[in-house]
Amino acid sequence: MATVTDVRNAPKKAALPQIRQTQLFIGGQWIPAKSGKTFETCNPATEEVIAQVAEGDAADVDAAVRAAREAFDSGPWPRMNARERGRLIHKLCDLIEGEIDELAALESLDNGKPVSDARLGDIPLALDALRYYAGWADKIHGQTIPVSGNFFTYTRREAVGVAGQIIPWNFPILMTAWKWGPALATGCTVVMKPAEQTPLTCLRLARLAQKAGIPDGVINVVPGFGPTAGAAIVKHPGVDKVAFTGSGETAQIIMRQAADSLKRLTFELGGKSPNIVFADADLAAAAAGAHVGIYLNQGQCCCAGSRLFVEDSIHDAFVDTIVAMSRSRKVGDPFDPATEQGPQVDQAQFDKIMGYIAQGKQEGATCATGGKRVGTKGFFIEPTVFTNVKDEMAIAREEIFGPVLSVLKFSDTDELVRRANATNFGLAAAVWTRDIARAHDVARRLRAGTVWVNCYDVFDAAAPFGGYKRSGFGRELGERGLDGYLETKTVTVSLDPPGR
Ligand code: NAI
Ligand code: MG
C-alpha cells in the first residue's frame, strides 16, 4: 500500500481516474432521471466538461424517498443486529481504502483540490469518521430512570427514520462520510443530494456501499440542483430529518420550507473565524497555522481562519512572515503532487472572491500580496493577504470562501474578545499564546463551537464540530453527532402485580 511519503515523493503526476457512476442511485438501481435530463460537471482546473450526470428533480426524489422509507419501515437495516451494521460500515471503509488513489484523483478532478490533499487529508478523515461511527453502532443505548411510584422507566434511543442529506462541494467525500456515518450507525436510511458542482465521488461511494452489502434502499443518491432536487427533499413528507451543510442563505430557505412538515434540522453553515496571535506565541508555529488556516482547500473551508488578529507589538514582523509564505505557496495543476493550491470550484465562486478583493481595495485595505487571477484558464487565484483591515469592512465581516486573509491589529485582550465575537458567525476560532491561563480564558470567552489553541484545523471523528449563532445548530462528529439521528423513547412499566 502507498504510504504518505510515497505520494509526496512521487515524481509523476497522478493518473486520471475513470468516471464510472453518473446515474441516480435509487433502491439499489442505477437509473437515469425520470425527465431524461442531465447536467455537466466540470474540471475547475481546465474549465472542461468531464461528465454528464443524471439530473434528479422532485419525481426522482419521490422515488428515492419511497425506497428509503421502505428500507426503514420494513427492510432489514434498522432491525439487524447493530454490530452487523457496524461491520458493513467497516466493509465500506475497506473498499474505500482499496480504491483510495482512484477516489483521490476523482475528487481532485471534480473539485480542483490538490490530489495530495484528497489522498492525505480528505479521505483519511472520511475513513476516520466512518470507522468511528461503525464503532458506535452497537453502543447506542438508553438509561433506566428512577421515577416516583411503583414504575420501572427506561429510555430507548431509536433511529429518527429517513434522513435527507444535502451537502456542499468543498469536501464532497468528507461531507458524505460525516453524513452517512451517524445515519448508518443509528439505523437510519438516507436520501443524499451531493452538490451540483461535485457529484462524482458521492456516487462512487454509493457504488462501494452497494458492494459492501449495505442493503438496497438504505443509501440513495440523487444528484441535481438545490431549488429542484434539494427543495424536494426538504418538502417531502416522507423525510423525517434534514442534515444540511452549506450557506446561511440556503439554510434559511430550508428552514422555512421544512416548517410545513416540522422536520428535524441540523445545519452546519459558514464562518468568519478569528485566528488570534498573541505576542508571546511560538510565532513560527502561529504563522504556519495562519497559513494553513486560511489557505487549506483554496480557502473554501467553513472554518477558515479568515480574520487574523495579531497583537500590535509583533504585527509588522508577523505580517512580513505570512506574506512571504503566501508568495511561496505553490499554485497550479492539482494532479501535480507538489501542488499546494488548486483552482476555486467554479466561475461563481471565482467571481465572488474577486469581487471581495476589489471591494477590499476600494474600502481602503492594503493588498499586501496576491489579489490576481493565476493564468488564463481554470479558476486559480493568488494567495491574498490584506492588511490595514478595519472591522467594519466587508472583507472583515463576510465569508469570502477563498484564499483571502484579512489581518487585524489588537492591543488589549478584553477589546480583542469583544471584536472577535462581534460577528453573526460562531463556527471556530484559534488562540496562539504560551500563557496557559490566557489560552483557557480566551477559549472560554469566544462564542464558537470549536476553539483551537496553538493549532488550527485539527479534526478528529471523536471531537464534536458545529456552530454557535448563524453558523448552524446541532453537532457533527463525536457522540453528539448521533443526536441528530436519534429519537428518545420513554417506556414506563407498572410494577403492580396483575389483578391487584
Ligand atoms: P449553497 O448553500 O447554495 O449549496 C449547498 C448545497 O445546498 C448544494 O448541494 C446545493 O445544491 C443545495 N441547495 C441550494 N439551494 C437549495 C435549496 N433551495 N433547497 C435545498 N438545497 C439547496 O452554497 P453555494 O451556493 O454552493 O455557495 C455559496 C456560498 O455558501 C459560498 O460562497 C460559501 O460562502 C458558502 N458555503 C459554505 C459551505 C460550508 O461548508 N459551510 C459550503 C459551501 C458553501
Ligand atoms: Mg447557492
Side-chain angles (χ1 to χ4, degrees), residues 247-290:
S247 66
E249 293 70 30
T250 297
Q252 289 177 318
I253 296 171
I254 290 176
M255 206 163 169
R256 287 192 193 100
Q257 294 186 337
D260 288 337
S261 52
L262 284 175
K263 278 192 181 59
R264 285 113 184 84
L265 298 173
T266 46
F267 286 160
E268 202 267 273
L269 311 174
K272 192 74 189 177
S273 298
N275 190 4
I276 300 161
V277 183
F278 285 96
D280 71 339
D282 174 342
L283 295 179

Side-chain angles (χ1 to χ4, degrees), residues 136-157:
W136 265 111
D138 61 353
K139 296 168 195 71
I140 296 165
H141 52 69
Q143 296 173 307
T144 60
I145 299 175
V147 295
S148 306
N150 197 21
F151 301 101
F152 170 52
T153 294
Y154 63 95
T155 58
R156 288 172 47 79
R157 305 223 64 198

